[in-house]
Amino acid sequence: MATYVIMGCAGGYTSGKFYKTMGGFDYKTAAISTGTFYPLLLFVLSSLIHILTMTNPTSHEVPMPTLVTILSLWSFTSLPFVYIGFYFGYTRQRYEHPVRTNLIPRPVPQQPMHLSVPVISMMSGLLPFLVVFIEFYFVLTAIWEHHSYYLVGFLFLVFVIFTLSTCQVA
């Protein structure tokens, strides 16, 4: 939690510098949306889940002081860090692109079908999905057949394989 709050400064700096590089003019709106979009989305979702757990008898309800603490950490610590980082990023020089574009337009050749964006998108997501699917198939088969398995270690191994295959695809 503390890392998220402190990293708001780095997020604001990066957002401000990119915003200036792209030629943005309304920096106040960009700073506000940088600091509020993702946290407000998470807060709304967690509030809905909290309301659902309050209406049903469950022991998984998050105490209200915890929600108030998280909201106050975000509003009094994370938001100022984001704004400070955005200010420092926006006041710095913009990024200089390492290449120049040519003003003479060139024709782009037609790509074969197997190199089109939809095919590449589906294939790049298919490999990690198949890796995880096959591993979970073996785990669930072992559970259904009442074999003893060390699930935590095996799931960590699945996570490592998934991470490696995703890195290879990217």
Side-chain angles (χ1 to χ4, degrees):
M1 186 64 121
T3 305
Y4 172 77
V5 170
I6 293 171
M7 290 305 288
C9 193
Y13 179 84
T14 305
S15 177
K17 190 135 179 165
F18 275 123
Y19 190 73
K20 186 173 183 178
T21 300
M22 298 299 172
F25 296 108
D26 192 13
Y27 65 91
K28 291 179 185 176
T29 304
I32 290 170
S33 64
T34 299
T36 58
F37 179 73
Y38 184 69
L40 276 180
L41 178 71
L42 287 180
F43 187 74
V44 167
L45 288 176
S46 64
S47 296
L48 288 174
I49 292 172
H50 183 70
I51 289 170
L52 289 175
T53 57
M54 282 177 32
T55 58
N56 296 326
T58 180
S59 63
H60 297 292
E61 183 179 349
V62 178
M64 193 55 128
T66 304
L67 290 177
V68 171
T69 303
I70 291 172
L71 186 64
S72 63
L73 266 175
W74 170 67
S75 59
F76 297 122
T77 310
S78 181
L79 275 180
F81 277 158
V82 169
Y83 296 150
I84 289 169
F86 194 93
Y87 171 76
F88 284 121
Y90 194 75
T91 56
R92 299 284 185 248
Q93 277 187 327
R94 61 179 64 208
Y95 287 118
E96 293 297 325
H97 301 293
V99 295
R100 294 185 185 185
T101 57
N102 195 353
L103 296 177
I104 301 171
R106 296 182 184 165
V108 177
Q110 278 290 64
Q111 299 230 340
M113 190 189 107
H114 69 278
L115 293 179
S116 66
V117 173
V119 173
I120 289 178
S121 298
M122 286 191 300
M123 295 307 287
S124 65
L126 187 65
L127 181 65
F129 171 75
L130 287 177
V131 166
V132 172
F133 180 78
I134 291 170
E135 298 297 333
F136 275 131
Y137 172 77
F138 288 125
V139 168
L140 292 177
T141 303
I143 290 173
W144 289 331
E145 294 177 357
H146 303 291
H147 292 156
S148 61
Y149 245 114
Y150 296 106
L151 284 179
V152 177
F154 194 76
L155 290 178
F156 179 73
L157 181 65
V158 170
F159 172 73
V160 169
I161 293 171
F162 172 71
T163 304
L164 290 174
S165 65
T166 304
C167 291
Q168 291 295 324
V169 169

